[in-house]
Amino acid sequence: MEPYIPMFPKLVTMALSEQFGSDITYVNHAVGGTISRWGCEKLPEFFADVKPDIMFIGFGMNDASGHIPPEEFIANIRTMVEQTRALNPDCEFLLCSTTLPNPMAPTFCFNHDTHEPLLAALCEELGDCAALVPMTSMHSALMEKKRFY
């Protein structure tokens, strides 16, 4: 569908490859509709033969809509970071907060806004090896000017 633009992790990968003149292998094991607990369960299997240098972790929409407590959500993200560091202690992370659900679908609107501060705190704790991708804040600001569609 137009405009045929790749997802932002792929765009970042392409930009890094171009900027640094390096071949970067992009691996995406995402499955729509999953929650962060699924990521914890599958990460060791998916990356058993891969030692990632940079990891995008982007869960949250389904956790919040599925009533996963924020404490469990951030514990799961922390577990994925730890699992990845076991594969490569030098791995760096981009922790992506979720976009917001359509407010016209109130059965999906729960604690989505609680995740970004938790991810920011985890990034702070991890130091220079992690950065926050503040999709929740960005989407919230966009929604002040634009309709959801």
Side-chain angles (χ1 to χ4, degrees):
M1 176 175 229
E2 290 186 38
Y4 307 108
I5 192 165
M7 295 183 303
F8 77 90
K10 181 68 172 174
L11 288 172
V12 171
T13 302
M14 292 163 55
L16 289 171
S17 181
E18 184 178 314
Q19 181 175 346
F20 295 105
S22 299
D23 288 329
I24 299 175
T25 302
Y26 174 78
V27 177
N28 182 352
H29 290 294
V31 174
T34 58
I35 59 174
S36 60
R37 187 179 316 124
W38 176 88
C40 293
E41 293 166 1
K42 293 294 188 179
L43 191 144
E45 170 190 336
F46 286 153
F47 293 98
D49 297 328
V50 178
K51 306 223 179 313
D53 294 311
I54 187 166
M55 175 77 75
F56 290 82
I57 300 178
F59 285 92
M61 178 64 77
N62 296 314
D63 284 72
S65 297
H67 309 288
I68 304 298
E71 301 79 25
E72 181 179 342
F73 163 78
I74 198 65
N76 290 337
I77 301 303
R78 180 182 305 280
T79 297
M80 285 183 261
V81 166
E82 291 167 356
Q83 290 171 326
T84 304
R85 286 183 127 180
L87 299 169
N88 178 6
D90 295 324
C91 186
E92 297 180 312
F93 300 88
L94 290 169
L95 305 183
C96 309
S97 62
T98 184
T99 55
L100 299 169
N102 186 339
M104 294 175 65
T107 58
F108 293 101
C109 299
F110 294 100
N111 60 3
H112 298 84
D113 59 342
T114 64
H115 293 172
E116 191 171 280
L118 296 171
L119 291 169
L122 180 56
C123 287
E124 184 73 26
E125 178 185 323
L126 293 169
D128 290 343
C129 76
L132 176 68
V133 180
M135 296 298 291
T136 308
S137 295
M138 185 179 76
H139 196 208
S140 180
L142 180 66
M143 295 299 292
E144 289 178 13
K145 307 267 186 196
K146 300 285 186 182
R147 292 178 299 153
F148 193 84
Y149 292 106

